[in-house]
Amino acid sequence: MNLLADIKSMTLSELTEFITENGFERFRANQVYGWLNKNVSSFDEMRNISSKLRDFLKTSCYISVANIEKKLVSRYDKTVKYLFSFNDGECVESVVMKYKHGYSICISTQVGCKMGCTFCATGKSGYSRDLTPSEMLNQIESARRDLNIRISNIVLMGMGEPLDNYDNVVKFLYLVSSGDGLNIGMRHITLSTCGIVPRIYDLAQLRLGITVSVSLHAPNDEIRRKTMPIAHRYSMDELLRACRDYFKKTGRRITFEYSMISGVNDSDANAEELAQRLAGMNCHVNLIPVNTVDGTGYTKSDINRQQSFINILAAKNIAATVRRTLGSDINASCGQLKRNYLKTGG
Ligand code: SAH
Ligand code: SF4
């Protein structure tokens, strides 16, 4: 347990309060914040502050980092996948993708995940700990610096369940969108959840303007419970009610993720049922041919199945697209790089 304060998780006003309460001048907070934005990894690098303040910071705070442990670049589309390590040696994955409108980064929110979805590499590796707000920011900072790019979109779709680390994720959202920080607007942020219903209501109350993406992966509770343990806790009816509430409160259309697994959730009847469940909702369905993870026994639906599924949804006026696969040669779906890394020791 780190007893020092996580200085990079503080907003500028929190840092100002902390510094002035301890007898230092206000403007020092801006100087320190400036250094932190420059991504320094030690207080000694903050050259324009007094040694007294440096010593105080050293004994009261730590600077969190995300070091590049491994980096893979796709030969096909230049998608970049990182394995980052934090101060305590724990690792997570992030993926940077290039789209027409700019760069997008997929970041992790926990080391591992408690939710145990059967098709997911992260779910198979168990849960270690939550990430702090600064550790989420650091994934973006480190990738941005390494590639020398401007990142315009963020998706919280890496390792972990963001709504199971609610307070830290919300703090991160405020920090990353702040004018004092990376200044990435909430409209450019998407949070993906397996469907922790009460937290979806909480998030709607905050009216942040982010897009919520719900991992549905099934047209009914029976099929959903086969692959997603969370479906035993909240029914699809409850989940869809929360999604409707989110749209009503925020005006933001919900995206549903639907990983197509051959023979499990991809029949025409499954598509018909899904269309019925989503009828009248302002939403978009992303179909993702499931990525095969060792030991799951799942295979992706073939192209004809995908097309047939889409056609049925389209006929019922449900907008759906098959997600373009980026970085297929580097296992760009999160959880797999770390799994292989731990198995082979690098
Ligand atoms: N925990 C959150 C966000 C991280 S997972 C969630 O579950 O939504 C991000 C997305 O990847 C989810 O939609 C998840 O269902 C999907 N996913 C996980 N493993 C996958 C796999 N093997 N193939 C395709 N999609 C997968
Ligand atoms: Fe966790 Fe999401 Fe993987 Fe499920 S799919 S185990 S919620 S990371």
Side-chain angles (χ1 to χ4, degrees), residues 113 119-121 156-158 160-162 192-194 215 217 257 259 288-291 293 333 336:
C113 184
F119 46 79
C120 173
L156 280 67
M157 255 192 211
E161 168 49 49
S192 176
T193 176
C194 64
S215 300
H217 306 324
E257 305 288 308
S259 291
I288 313 144
V290 76
N291 271 297
V293 172
S333 80
Q336 301 185 17

XYZ file of all heavy atoms in Angstrom, residues 113 119-121 156-158 160-162 192-194 215 217 257 259 288-291 293 333 336, ligand 1:
196
model
N -9.635 -8.237 -14.501
C -11.068 -7.937 -14.422
C -11.743 -9.025 -13.590
O -11.366 -10.179 -13.655
C -11.665 -7.908 -15.827
S -13.405 -7.428 -15.851
N -15.376 -15.480 -23.056
C -14.677 -15.327 -24.340
C -13.481 -14.400 -24.233
O -12.760 -14.185 -25.202
C -15.647 -14.763 -25.401
C -16.452 -13.600 -24.869
C -15.899 -12.348 -24.774
C -17.758 -13.795 -24.410
C -16.620 -11.294 -24.250
C -18.490 -12.739 -23.890
C -17.915 -11.483 -23.811
N -13.246 -13.821 -23.045
C -12.317 -12.691 -22.921
C -10.994 -13.103 -22.269
O -10.988 -13.719 -21.208
C -12.995 -11.591 -22.101
S -11.922 -10.218 -21.682
N -9.892 -12.706 -22.911
C -8.566 -13.053 -22.393
C -8.316 -12.405 -21.029
O -7.746 -13.024 -20.130
C -7.496 -12.613 -23.387
N -12.570 3.554 -23.506
C -12.256 2.778 -22.300
C -12.760 1.365 -22.563
O -13.870 1.003 -22.187
C -12.926 3.395 -21.063
C -12.209 4.606 -20.464
C -12.259 5.794 -21.404
C -12.803 5.008 -19.134
N -11.938 0.628 -23.287
C -12.339 -0.674 -23.791
C -11.201 -1.668 -23.681
O -11.199 -2.701 -24.336
C -12.687 -0.554 -25.279
C -14.141 -0.587 -25.575
S -14.427 -0.775 -27.312
C -15.960 0.113 -27.438
N -10.190 -1.300 -22.898
C -9.055 -2.200 -22.737
C -9.343 -3.193 -21.627
O -10.469 -3.661 -21.477
N -10.226 -4.614 -18.083
C -10.973 -4.155 -16.918
C -12.371 -3.678 -17.226
O -12.725 -3.425 -18.377
N -13.169 -3.568 -16.174
C -14.544 -3.092 -16.292
C -14.596 -1.678 -15.689
O -14.525 -1.515 -14.460
C -15.480 -4.063 -15.553
C -16.886 -3.568 -15.330
C -17.560 -2.985 -16.578
O -17.546 -3.606 -17.645
O -18.102 -1.863 -16.466
N -14.710 -0.646 -16.552
C -14.637 0.731 -16.047
C -15.642 1.034 -14.939
O -15.319 1.758 -14.000
C -14.932 1.580 -17.277
C -14.900 0.687 -18.450
C -14.867 -0.732 -18.003
N -16.910 1.570 -22.397
C -17.566 0.287 -22.671
C -17.783 -0.466 -21.359
O -16.886 -0.547 -20.525
C -16.679 -0.534 -23.609
O -17.222 -1.804 -23.824
N -18.989 -0.996 -21.182
C -19.288 -1.719 -19.947
C -20.021 -3.027 -20.233
O -20.784 -3.115 -21.202
C -20.143 -0.863 -18.983
O -20.478 -1.653 -17.836
C -21.434 -0.364 -19.639
N -19.783 -4.003 -19.356
C -20.505 -5.267 -19.487
C -21.924 -5.113 -18.936
O -22.733 -6.029 -19.029
C -19.765 -6.378 -18.760
S -19.658 -6.125 -16.986
N -21.786 -3.929 -23.703
C -21.464 -5.244 -24.257
C -22.645 -6.164 -24.024
O -22.869 -6.627 -22.909
C -20.214 -5.797 -23.573
O -19.145 -4.915 -23.796
N -23.884 -8.883 -26.470
C -23.422 -10.220 -26.885
C -24.478 -11.311 -26.864
O -24.125 -12.497 -26.952
C -22.220 -10.673 -26.050
C -21.079 -9.721 -26.040
N -20.717 -8.962 -27.128
C -20.198 -9.375 -25.055
C -19.680 -8.214 -26.808
N -19.348 -8.439 -25.563
N -22.361 -3.556 -28.194
C -21.330 -4.434 -28.759
C -21.897 -5.840 -28.797
O -22.514 -6.299 -27.822
C -20.074 -4.441 -27.869
C -19.489 -3.073 -27.577
C -18.803 -2.464 -28.773
O -17.943 -3.124 -29.374
O -19.162 -1.321 -29.133
N -20.395 -9.479 -29.866
C -19.365 -10.375 -30.407
C -20.043 -11.605 -30.957
O -20.724 -12.321 -30.218
C -18.400 -10.813 -29.298
O -17.630 -9.737 -28.889
N -18.980 -7.729 -33.808
C -17.544 -8.007 -33.790
C -17.369 -9.519 -33.892
O -17.777 -10.238 -32.976
C -16.892 -7.552 -32.460
C -17.358 -6.146 -32.105
C -15.386 -7.654 -32.497
C -17.533 -5.935 -30.622
N -16.793 -9.996 -34.995
C -16.513 -11.435 -35.046
C -15.584 -11.773 -33.875
O -14.550 -11.123 -33.717
C -15.786 -11.618 -36.381
C -16.004 -10.354 -37.135
C -16.283 -9.271 -36.151
N -15.968 -12.703 -33.023
C -15.208 -12.939 -31.789
C -13.754 -13.276 -32.116
O -13.461 -13.974 -33.094
C -15.859 -14.062 -30.933
C -15.575 -15.449 -31.494
C -15.419 -13.973 -29.476
N -12.840 -12.738 -31.321
C -11.425 -13.084 -31.446
C -11.182 -14.376 -30.691
O -11.523 -14.467 -29.515
C -10.567 -12.004 -30.789
C -10.225 -10.916 -31.760
O -9.558 -11.160 -32.757
N -10.713 -9.725 -31.476
N -9.644 -16.844 -28.400
C -8.709 -16.822 -27.279
C -8.447 -18.281 -26.907
O -9.393 -19.073 -26.827
C -9.329 -16.067 -26.081
C -8.466 -16.188 -24.843
C -9.572 -14.609 -26.430
N -6.961 -7.180 -29.855
C -7.983 -7.136 -28.802
C -7.304 -7.345 -27.450
O -6.441 -8.201 -27.291
C -9.083 -8.163 -29.031
O -8.674 -9.420 -28.615
N -4.742 -10.083 -24.716
C -4.023 -11.203 -25.319
C -2.506 -11.021 -25.291
O -1.775 -11.982 -25.129
C -4.500 -11.418 -26.751
C -5.979 -11.703 -26.765
C -6.501 -12.049 -28.151
O -5.738 -12.379 -29.046
N -7.789 -11.969 -28.332
N -15.183 -4.538 -19.521
C -15.725 -3.718 -20.528
C -14.672 -3.077 -21.406
C -13.495 -3.914 -21.768
S -13.813 -5.262 -22.856
C -16.721 -4.499 -21.375
O -16.798 -5.702 -21.218
O -17.429 -3.866 -22.145
C -14.052 -4.395 -24.398
C -14.906 -5.137 -25.401
O -14.183 -6.264 -25.934
C -16.187 -5.697 -24.828
O -17.266 -5.433 -25.703
C -15.890 -7.168 -24.746
O -17.061 -7.933 -24.698
C -15.054 -7.371 -25.988
N -14.287 -8.611 -26.025
C -13.614 -9.200 -25.042
N -13.018 -10.330 -25.484
C -13.316 -10.426 -26.789
C -12.989 -11.377 -27.804
N -12.253 -12.450 -27.540
N -13.487 -11.158 -29.033
C -14.240 -10.064 -29.316
N -14.570 -9.144 -28.417
C -14.120 -9.327 -27.152
